[in-house]
């Protein structure tokens, strides 16, 4: 059992389990796309109704989208789910003692650009340098035809 720090913790809310399940669904869709709601429900061992609610929330957040409709031997034809990658970017930063690495990926994890530079030791200068380089990296990528949105999390 994991020990909880009683001075720094977050109380579980009504939405905690739903948030966890939404993250699990998102990761399963990413790993097994294209995947139907029924297959997702089987992998999550949840009812199709609960999975449909999670999927609708992810669609509303524009994180996933519905793709082509598949064939079924019987019953309803499945609609396949995909991760929305074409306008979503992720910046990864790896700070080491002598070098700092920046990598730009799409939402599926495909590397789009990588940059390295000498690590700056002054924290205010480091933050300024890092933010400048991230902005330039995103600007260069958008100049090649992307219309990606930038959001911090």
């Amino acid at each position: 059992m994991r020990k909880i720090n009683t001075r720094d913790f977050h109380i579980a809310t009504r939405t905690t389990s739903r948030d966890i399940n939404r993250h699990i669904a998102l990761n399963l869709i990413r790993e097994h796309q294209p995947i139907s709601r029924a297959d997702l429900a089987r992998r999550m061992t949840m009812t199709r109704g609960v999975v449909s609610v999670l999927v609708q929330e992810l669609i509303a957040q524009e994180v996933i989208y519905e793709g082509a409709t598949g064939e079924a031997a019987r019953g309803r034809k499945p609609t396949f789910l995909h991760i929305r990658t074409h306008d979503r970017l992720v910046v990864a930063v790896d700070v080491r003692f002598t070098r700092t690495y920046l990598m730009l990926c799409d939402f599926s994890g495909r590397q789009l650009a990588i940059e390295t530079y000498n690590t700056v030791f002054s924290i205010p200068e480091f933050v300024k340098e890092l933010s400048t380089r991230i902005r330039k990296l995103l600007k260069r990528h958008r100049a090649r035809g992307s219309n990606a949105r930038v959001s911090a999390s």
Side-chain angles (χ1 to χ4, degrees):
M1 179 178 262
R2 192 175 102 186
K3 184 177 178 182
I4 303 293
N5 180 350
T6 57
R7 291 189 177 97
D8 182 27
F9 60 91
H10 297 284
I11 302 274
T13 64
R14 292 181 190 175
T15 61
T16 302
S17 61
R18 176 178 255 155
D19 291 340
I20 292 168
N21 288 336
R22 199 172 24 247
H23 282 97
I24 291 168
L26 182 61
N27 282 320
L28 286 170
I29 294 167
R30 182 180 48 79
E31 289 177 18
H32 301 286
Q33 66 183 324
I35 187 170
S36 68
R37 284 176 177 80
D39 288 337
L40 185 60
R42 277 187 219 99
R43 289 186 183 273
M44 292 181 73
T45 61
M46 299 178 90
T47 65
R48 291 181 187 183
V50 172
V51 168
S52 283
V53 170
L54 296 173
V55 165
Q56 285 309 113
E57 290 173 1
L58 291 170
I59 289 171
Q61 293 171 347
E62 298 182 341
V63 177
I64 65 172
Y65 67 94
E66 295 178 313
T69 303
E71 292 297 321
R74 61 185 195 283
R76 185 181 294 175
K77 292 182 179 181
T79 301
F80 294 111
L81 304 170
H82 303 268
I83 296 290
R84 187 172 173 176
T85 60
H86 70 280
D87 63 348
R88 305 290 171 136
L89 300 176
V90 176
V91 177
V93 181
D94 182 8
V95 181
R96 308 234 174 153
F97 186 73
T98 58
R99 304 285 297 163
T100 298
Y101 301 85
L102 291 176
M103 185 185 323
L104 183 67
C105 299
D106 65 14
F107 205 57
S108 67
R110 186 174 51 100
Q111 180 181 319
L112 303 173
I114 192 163
E115 181 179 322
T116 64
Y117 64 95
N118 292 330
T119 301
V120 179
F121 293 105
S122 164
I123 292 175
E125 289 178 33
F126 173 79
V127 171
K128 184 178 179 182
E129 177 76 14
L130 181 62
S131 64
T132 300
R133 287 182 179 269
I134 289 172
R135 273 192 228 100
K136 286 181 181 178
L137 187 65
L138 290 170
K139 188 175 182 180
R140 275 196 310 270
H141 186 266
R142 279 193 216 112
R144 289 191 300 235
S146 172
N147 58 355
R149 288 183 249 159
V150 178
S151 64
S153 55

